[in-house]
């Protein structure tokens, strides 16, 4: 039978429901090694499961098909969105109202999944359906339907091609949802991997800072990091 389920909620309905606040890092699948398309924020929103429970999920749906104000569609695996992670429909970001650029008035945030299968912004509709019955923008183009965020690290400093010789440090961030970052190592000029010092943890769904003191000798050097 037809598994599509729809129920109307207003923005005020969302704000009247219990809200959660979580520190979550999001990243784009197109982010290159060391790239800028990753960021962390404190998100405020309604648990996705609370919203689905009010609608009634049923036994047959296997995806949430989200549609934004311009008709863009994002397909999220229902099993991953409801497996206990802090998936939400966010209405706030960094203790302020959700900015327009980040999806005002409401957007989906699912930790551990790349944005093209989870992070629908300016969301207007979510439809419980199946992959056999409905496809989204990226699935129509042959992209994966399941896309967990891969463990990664990024070097943020030195931030340019030149650094003053002498005492300095190498530092950056790393993420590994949903297990968290347990270790970061740094390699200098192809030498042995050295353990970096980790900053405090803000939870397994949030990135973690790290650094390694370094005495930079004059000349050219190559540095690498791994989490």
């Amino acid at each position: 039978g037809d598994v599509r389920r729809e129920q109307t909620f207003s923005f005020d309905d969302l704000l009247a429901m219990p809200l959660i606040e979580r520190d979550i890092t999001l990243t784009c699948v197109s982010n290159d090694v060391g790239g800028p398309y990753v960021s962390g924020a404190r998100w405020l929103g309604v648990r996705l499961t609370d919203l689905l429970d009010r609608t009634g999920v049923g036994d047959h749906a296997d995806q949430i098909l989200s549609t934004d104000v311009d008709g863009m569609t994002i397909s999220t695996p229902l099993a991953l969105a409801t497996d206990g992670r802090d998936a939400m429909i966010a209405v706030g970001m960094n203790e302020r109202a959700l900015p327009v650029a980040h999806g005002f008035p409401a957007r989906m945030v699912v930790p551990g999944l790349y944005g093209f299968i989870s992070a629908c912004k300016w969301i207007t509709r979510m439809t419980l359906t199946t992959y056999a019955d409905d496809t989204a923008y990226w699935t129509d183009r042959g992209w994966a339907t399941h896309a967990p965020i891969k463990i990664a690290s990024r070097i943020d400093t030195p931030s340019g091609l030149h650094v003053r010789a002498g005492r300095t440090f190498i530092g950056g961030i790393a993420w590994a949802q949903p297990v968290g970052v347990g270790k970061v190592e740094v390699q200098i000029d192809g030498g042995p991997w050295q353990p970096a010092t980790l900053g405090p943890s803000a939870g397994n769904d949030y990135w973690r800072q790290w650094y390694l003191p370094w005495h930079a000798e004059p000349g050219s050097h190559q540095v690498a990091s791994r989490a």
Side-chain angles (χ1 to χ4, degrees), residues 76-98:
T76 306
L78 179 62
L80 297 183
T82 58
D83 65 358
R85 69 187 73 204
D86 287 318
M88 70 173 77
I89 301 300
V91 296
M93 178 181 175
N94 293 333
E95 301 181 351
R96 306 179 74 173
L98 193 64

Side-chain angles (χ1 to χ4, degrees), residues 103-116:
F104 177 86
R107 63 165 296 163
M108 187 183 290
V109 173
V110 183
L113 300 183
Y114 283 116
F116 78 93

Side-chain angles (χ1 to χ4, degrees), residues 183-227:
K183 181 189 294 185
V184 173
E185 296 178 326
V186 179
Q187 184 187 60
I188 303 171
D189 295 330
W193 288 97
Q194 305 176 56
T197 299
L198 296 179
S201 172
N204 290 349
D205 291 326
Y206 199 67
W207 60 25
R208 196 162 182 182
Q209 293 179 312
W210 58 266
Y211 74 95
L212 178 76
W214 179 37
H215 186 87
E217 299 290 344
S220 297
H221 302 279
Q222 184 178 62
V223 296
S225 69
R226 67 183 184 184

Side-chain angles (χ1 to χ4, degrees), residues 119-138:
C120 187
K121 297 188 286 186
W122 315 290
I123 194 168
T124 60
R125 175 181 295 178
M126 293 188 300
T127 305
L128 286 166
T129 182
T130 67
Y131 285 102
D133 289 336
D134 293 287
T135 56
Y137 179 88
W138 291 114

Side-chain angles (χ1 to χ4, degrees), residues 18-181:
L19 299 175
I20 61 172
E21 193 170 45
R22 298 290 186 270
D23 296 320
I24 298 172
T25 290
L26 301 181
T27 182
C28 178
V29 71
S30 300
N31 192 49
D32 293 330
V33 174
Y37 302 128
V38 56
S39 187
R42 175 161 293 180
W43 303 96
L44 176 72
V46 175
R47 285 189 182 276
L48 183 58
T49 50
D50 287 351
L51 201 59
L52 294 176
D53 287 345
R54 290 185 59 172
T55 302
V57 175
D59 299 325
H60 301 291
D62 61 10
Q63 74 153 319
I64 304 169
L65 185 69
S66 300
T67 306
D68 77 2
V69 69
D70 292 323
M72 175 68 178
T73 51
I74 297 291
S75 177
T76 306
L78 179 62
L80 297 183
T82 58
D83 65 358
R85 69 187 73 204
D86 287 318
M88 70 173 77
I89 301 300
V91 296
M93 178 181 175
N94 293 333
E95 301 181 351
R96 306 179 74 173
L98 193 64
V100 172
H102 292 282
F104 177 86
R107 63 165 296 163
M108 187 183 290
V109 173
V110 183
L113 300 183
Y114 283 116
F116 78 93
I117 65 161
S118 69
C120 187
K121 297 188 286 186
W122 315 290
I123 194 168
T124 60
R125 175 181 295 178
M126 293 188 300
T127 305
L128 286 166
T129 182
T130 67
Y131 285 102
D133 289 336
D134 293 287
T135 56
Y137 179 88
W138 291 114
T139 47
D140 284 338
R141 286 153 178 79
W143 286 44
T145 57
H146 290 57
I149 292 176
K150 296 181 179 180
I151 184 172
S153 63
R154 187 179 76 185
I155 297 173
D156 290 323
T157 186
S159 58
L161 296 178
H162 302 280
V163 61
R164 189 179 298 275
R167 187 177 179 183
T168 183
F169 67 94
I170 303 165
I173 53 174
W175 55 94
Q177 300 169 328
V179 297
V181 175

